[in-house]
Amino acid sequence: MAVSQTGRSGCPINLTLEQLGDRWSLIVIRDVMFGNRRSYGELLAQSEEGIASNILADRLKRLTASGLLSRRPDPKHRQKGIYSLTEASIQLVPLLAHMGAWGRRHTRPSKELSVRAELLEKGGAPLWNAFMDELRHLHLGASRPARSVFGELQAAYEKALAHRAR
Amino acid sequence: MAVSQTGRSGCPINLTLEQLGDRWSLIVIRDVMFGNRRSYGELLAQSEEGIASNILADRLKRLTASGLLSRRPDPKHRQKGIYSLTEASIQLVPLLAHMGAWGRRHTRPSKELSVRAELLEKGGAPLWNAFMDELRHLHLGASRPARSVFGELQAAYEKALAHRAR
DNA sequence: CACACCACTTGCGGATTGCAAGTGGTCTGA
DNA sequence: TCAGACCACTTGCAATCCGCAAGTGGTGTG
């Protein structure tokens, strides 16, 4: 519990990398967080990145085991699970916001997919906190906050999509 | 140049992950940034995490190719290269600071190695900016700033080490 | 109750990783 | 000047990880 399994150091940056430093873990968290995809099927079918089904199953298992996601059975479909963010993964919001901001500056992102990152960057810490409060409502059962950052991000994204489609 | 080679999406978070989402790239950047290790040998020998020599060589090559490090020959040793951060990797400071902050909260880091992360977290954006200015001095030849965040971080780390050793 | 559906697994070929040993250019000192 | 130490980096190999496609078995439905 206290010691890493990989024989690497106790540096907090390293330990974070050991949990999240692969190509898919943060993609899954991103889709749950910003896309509100809550089940295996939604995550698989609507994936922008085309994640393979076995990798998705493996990551859901690992992220659940390490406390970044929680899983509860779907009352409507006994076989199905509903995945939720935990407080730990909700606190990744600033990290993902910074990743988006860096990617916007130093890679060649598509315009539509940059809109959310841009809003998050411009909104800064106050917006992140409002978003985190909303995620606590959506995933942890906290009370609904006044502001829906999720809706704002989604609306901006859809507006960009429509603008592109014209 | 504009399009990713992996067939994944143009989401800025994804593109950032494609460059940095592996177990070693950010470790190398961390060591150059916070440990001021500037050559292959320093990075290999003093690595806390025990990176393998071929992996290190590969990452230095990839990071240089993608513009996150630059390499110039060492005037003292013709064979040797001196690696420097670029503006792009200097702008990873907030990301690494957040990773450290998250790791401090949600993993079990060692006390000594957490000291820097704690300072960076408490200092917030003003400290990050001062540190980035200093990195521009150390790596890009900009003028020396008044404040040495690097020295502060190092002193705090060594103090923690001494405290532990008593 | 047959059938479609869906969450998840399995098999397999190819890429990546880690380790240990090797290679060849570069500096040093007698 | 040249033998030997040193050092940046490569190579070989085994183990693991990854991506793809097909399969499996539980679950809902008409």
Side-chain angles (χ1 to χ4, degrees), chain B residues 37-102:
Chain B
R37 295 178 196 145
R38 304 294 290 272
S39 67
Y40 179 87
E42 285 173 14
L43 285 162
L44 186 65
Q46 298 168 37
S47 168
E48 298 268 356
E49 329 290 351
I51 189 171
S53 61
N54 55 345
I55 306 291
L56 175 60
D58 178 74
R59 287 305 181 280
L60 288 172
K61 211 171 287 177
R62 271 160 55 167
L63 290 170
T64 303
S66 63
L68 291 169
L69 292 178
S70 70
R71 185 202 149 113
R72 65 171 196 278
D74 184 335
K76 311 259 176 182
H77 299 267
R78 209 172 308 182
Q79 191 183 7
K80 209 168 177 175
I82 297 182
Y83 294 93
S84 299
L85 298 175
T86 63
E87 182 59 30
S89 46
I90 288 174
Q91 290 186 15
L92 290 171
V93 164
L95 196 68
L96 287 165
H98 270 292
M99 286 185 65
W102 189 90

Side-chain angles (χ1 to χ4, degrees), chain A residues 107-128:
Chain A
T107 70
R108 300 295 187 108
S110 82
K111 264 230 170 81
E112 303 89 79
L113 293 171
S114 297
V115 170
R116 277 185 282 225
E118 188 179 354
L119 274 182
L120 274 175
E121 185 178 355
K122 291 203 173 130
L127 188 74
W128 304 344

Side-chain angles (χ1 to χ4, degrees), chain A residues 52-138:
Chain A
S53 62
N54 55 345
I55 305 291
L56 175 59
D58 177 74
R59 288 304 181 281
L60 288 172
K61 213 170 287 176
R62 271 162 51 167
L63 289 170
T64 304
S66 63
L68 291 169
L69 293 177
S70 70
R71 184 202 149 113
R72 65 171 195 279
D74 184 336
K76 311 255 177 186
H77 299 267
R78 210 172 308 180
Q79 192 183 6
K80 210 168 177 175
I82 297 181
Y83 294 92
S84 299
L85 298 174
T86 62
E87 182 59 30
S89 47
I90 288 173
Q91 290 186 14
L92 290 172
V93 164
L95 197 68
L96 287 165
H98 271 291
M99 287 185 64
W102 189 90
R104 231 164 54 79
R105 256 176 250 275
H106 300 285
T107 70
R108 300 295 187 108
S110 82
K111 264 230 170 81
E112 303 89 79
L113 293 171
S114 297
V115 170
R116 277 185 282 225
E118 188 179 354
L119 274 182
L120 274 175
E121 185 178 355
K122 291 203 173 130
L127 188 74
W128 304 344
N129 285 326
F131 187 42
M132 288 164 72
D133 277 342
E134 187 177 12
L135 291 172
R136 288 187 189 100
H137 163 63
L138 288 170

Side-chain angles (χ1 to χ4, degrees), chain B:
Chain B
M1 187 181 180
V3 164
S4 88
Q5 302 91 332
T6 61
R8 283 164 64 183
S9 86
C11 164
I13 291 178
N14 175 52
L15 291 169
T16 302
L17 272 176
E18 286 185 30
Q19 284 209 36
L20 302 171
D22 73 270
R23 284 193 142 52
W24 292 111
S25 296
L26 278 176
I27 294 286
V28 171
I29 289 175
R30 177 201 69 178
D31 286 350
V32 176
M33 186 179 281
F34 296 102
N36 202 37
R37 295 178 196 145
R38 304 294 290 272
S39 67
Y40 179 87
E42 285 173 14
L43 285 162
L44 186 65
Q46 298 168 37
S47 168
E48 298 268 356
E49 329 290 351
I51 189 171
S53 61
N54 55 345
I55 306 291
L56 175 60
D58 178 74
R59 287 305 181 280
L60 288 172
K61 211 171 287 177
R62 271 160 55 167
L63 290 170
T64 303
S66 63
L68 291 169
L69 292 178
S70 70
R71 185 202 149 113
R72 65 171 196 278
D74 184 335
K76 311 259 176 182
H77 299 267
R78 209 172 308 182
Q79 191 183 7
K80 209 168 177 175
I82 297 182
Y83 294 93
S84 299
L85 298 175
T86 63
E87 182 59 30
S89 46
I90 288 174
Q91 290 186 15
L92 290 171
V93 164
L95 196 68
L96 287 165
H98 270 292
M99 286 185 65
W102 189 90
R104 232 165 53 80
R105 257 175 250 277
H106 299 286
T107 69
R108 300 296 186 107
S110 81
K111 264 228 170 83
E112 302 89 78
L113 293 171
S114 297
V115 171
R116 277 186 281 225
E118 188 179 355
L119 275 183
L120 274 174
E121 185 179 356
K122 292 203 172 129
L127 188 74
W128 304 343
N129 286 327
F131 186 43
M132 288 164 71
D133 277 340
E134 187 176 13
L135 291 173
R136 288 186 190 102
H137 163 63
L138 289 171
H139 293 263
L140 305 179
S143 62
R144 177 190 297 275
R147 181 176 181 187
S148 172
V149 177
F150 187 84
E152 295 170 27
L153 294 176
Q154 205 59 19
Y157 171 57
E158 279 159 19
K159 189 173 161 195
L161 266 191
H163 189 273
R164 152 63 56 100
R166 269 195 316 203

